[in-house]
Amino acid sequence: MKLDFYATLASMVAVLLIGRFVLKRVKFLRDYNIPEPVVGGLLVAILIAIAFKGFDFHIEFDRSLQGPLMLAFFASIGLNADFASLKKGGGTLIKFLAVVGVFLIVQNLIGVGLASSLGQSLLLGLLGGSITMSGGHGTGAAWAATFKDAPYLLSNGLELAVACATFGLILGGLVGGPVARFLINTYNLTPKHQEEEHLSAFESPGKQRLITASSFVESLALIAIALFVGTKIGELLKGTIFNLPTFVWCLFVGVILRNTLSVFKVHQVFEREVSVIGNVSLSLFLASALMTLKLWELANLALPLLILLVAQTIAMVLYAIFVTFRAMGKDYDAAVLAAGHCGFGLGATPTAIVNMQAITQHYGQSHVAFIVVPMVGAFFIDILNAFVIKFFLSLPIFG
């Protein structure tokens, strides 16, 4: 069965409603802060896998919305990131970036070490390391294309990258909530008091917002400009040293657009309204990404790859608890940052945001986490990861 654009859109919304329905009735999932798109998406993916393996019934979705939804989410982050907020993040942002940067190296050391001990290509170790775990599908696909050519000649790199990134996307949404819950309960943490007007709209997606048709069009226009310019920059810089995933450029254009308009007092970005578009895009993107998973392909992964991915998941959990949490201050904000790190350290920044939203809606707000994680996870991490990957490839063992 092939679903067209409209049927796929209806399915994405249904996934979110299913996730909400299940969460209301399953206390265990609520207690461990598993996000709605993850619950609904995985449930639908399991049902589709059963239909395929048991009855040879295959459903093909229209994926044309996935890319624009993801880019719209990152553009909305950029439009909400003024330089004043980055200044507020200050030392916390730098410290968190250092913690994340060290873990990129840890991921690749684990990947290369296990690949070597299991008699596999060392490139598999990198693909199962920071390339896909912290880089996600986009970074994985980009490096797989590089590995396909000389001198690497890894023919199945794309399949491996997609499998690793998919595995990470699932686990990133599953472990973030429990990690934060464990830390909060173990150390009896409570959020700091924060004035309501200072809260980021991404922190309180359920908050009432006053939106008019004309203002909505203005916000939508800003996101459309960020998407258009960002994608064009990404296309122009392909094959250069500045070749980064398109969403990075959309976010960057959003940041420049927001602050340029603010400096020249041309237009004041309606942050709460932009966040509505961003949060809707985020939820629909994750619903689409998870419901289209072909779980039967994950079941066919080779044992070495499974060992590698399980090891990366365990390493992420331990690092978040014993390094990220402690380095960031061992307080409530640090616990939320640890949940966010699990999200983009195994999957993607949208997963990190959803992880943190699930935690803050349950326990209370964490303003600093919603300043730091989007900028590190969606912007700085890809730049830093590119340098780390190139450093590993320069080692004699890859010669």
Side-chain angles (χ1 to χ4, degrees):
M1 178 188 296
K2 186 173 182 179
L3 301 184
D4 61 13
F5 175 90
Y6 302 104
T8 300
L9 179 60
S11 300
M12 291 157 61
V13 175
V15 163
L16 297 179
L17 295 177
I18 290 171
R20 183 180 302 176
F21 177 84
V22 173
L23 280 174
K24 284 183 178 178
R25 288 157 179 78
V26 182
K27 186 174 183 296
F28 172 81
L29 295 176
R30 268 198 327 274
D31 288 344
Y32 282 86
N33 307 293
I34 308 303
E36 287 178 7
V38 174
V39 174
L42 282 180
L43 182 58
V44 171
I46 290 171
L47 293 176
I48 291 175
I50 292 173
F52 177 77
K53 298 297 288 186
F55 306 96
D56 196 26
F57 181 75
H58 181 63
I59 300 177
E60 184 178 344
F61 294 96
D62 184 304
R63 301 196 183 195
S64 59
L65 263 179
Q66 275 193 21
L69 285 172
M70 181 185 69
L71 297 181
F73 165 68
F74 284 110
S76 70
I77 291 180
L79 288 168
N80 274 326
D82 61 347
F83 291 140
S85 294
L86 296 181
K87 190 175 180 180
K88 290 178 186 176
T92 303
L93 188 148
I94 295 173
K95 188 187 299 183
F96 188 63
L97 182 60
V99 169
V100 169
V102 171
F103 190 62
L104 295 177
I105 298 173
V106 171
Q107 285 181 319
N108 287 331
L109 289 175
I110 292 173
V112 172
L114 280 177
S116 177
S117 62
L118 294 170
Q120 302 296 314
S121 167
L122 297 184
L123 294 175
L124 171 62
L126 286 183
L127 283 173
S130 72
I131 289 179
T132 56
M133 295 293 97
S134 291
H137 286 83
T139 304
W143 282 102
T146 300
F147 291 160
K148 189 174 182 180
D149 300 327
Y152 306 109
L153 301 177
L154 184 67
S155 60
N156 61 343
L158 181 59
E159 289 77 8
L160 293 172
V162 170
C164 291
T166 300
F167 184 93
L169 189 66
I170 296 172
L171 269 297
L174 291 177
V175 305
V179 163
R181 182 178 186 271
F182 167 78
L183 293 171
I184 291 169
N185 291 339
T186 300
Y187 294 94
N188 194 26
L189 304 174
T190 55
K192 300 174 184 177
H193 175 70
Q194 298 170 84
E195 296 298 327
E196 192 70 15
E197 64 267 23
H198 292 156
L199 296 179
S200 161
F202 284 105
E203 297 172 67
S204 301
K207 181 181 174 182
Q208 293 292 326
R209 300 171 174 85
L210 296 175
I211 298 174
T212 65
S214 59
S215 66
F216 187 88
V217 170
E218 291 173 357
S219 297
L220 189 61
L222 292 175
I223 289 180
I225 292 171
L227 263 61
F228 175 73
V229 178
T231 53
K232 292 303 178 184
I233 292 175
E235 291 172 3
L236 289 173
L237 295 178
K238 274 187 179 179
T240 70
I241 59 173
F242 299 104
N243 185 16
L244 294 171
T246 303
F247 69 80
V248 176
W249 294 115
C250 291
L251 183 147
F252 182 71
V253 172
V255 173
I256 298 301
L257 187 59
R258 156 63 187 266
N259 290 278
T260 300
L261 293 174
S262 179
V263 168
F264 291 100
K265 298 181 180 179
V266 176
H267 175 75
Q268 184 64 42
V269 173
F270 191 174
E271 293 185 2
R272 292 177 298 162
E273 189 170 62
V274 168
S275 75
V276 171
I277 301 174
N279 281 309
V280 171
S281 299
L282 164 67
S283 296
L284 289 174
F285 165 72
L286 286 177
S288 177
L290 290 168
M291 78 179 185
T292 55
L293 292 179
K294 296 180 179 179
L295 295 179
W296 57 90
E297 292 183 359
L298 292 181
N300 294 328
L301 289 176
L303 182 60
L305 188 57
L306 284 174
I307 294 174
L308 172 59
L309 295 174
V310 169
Q312 293 287 14
T313 303
I314 295 173
M316 180 72 261
V317 171
L318 295 177
Y319 192 89
I321 293 174
F322 293 106
V323 179
T324 305
F325 174 68
R326 294 173 183 272
M328 299 312 298
K330 295 179 65 174
D331 57 8
Y332 177 76
D333 289 331
V336 179
L337 285 168
H341 192 189
C342 287
F344 72 77
L346 286 176
T349 303
T351 308
I353 301 297
V354 172
N355 281 350
M356 295 193 303
Q357 285 177 346
I359 295 298
T360 55
Q361 287 171 11
H362 189 90
Y363 294 101
Q365 303 302 333
S366 173
H367 185 45
V368 67
F370 281 86
I371 294 174
V372 171
V373 169
M375 291 307 298
V376 172
F379 186 70
F380 294 110
I381 188 68
D382 283 288
I383 298 173
L384 189 58
N385 198 12
F387 285 108
V388 170
I389 295 166
K390 289 182 179 180
F391 167 75
F392 271 85
L393 289 174
S394 69
L395 297 176
I397 56 175
F398 288 96

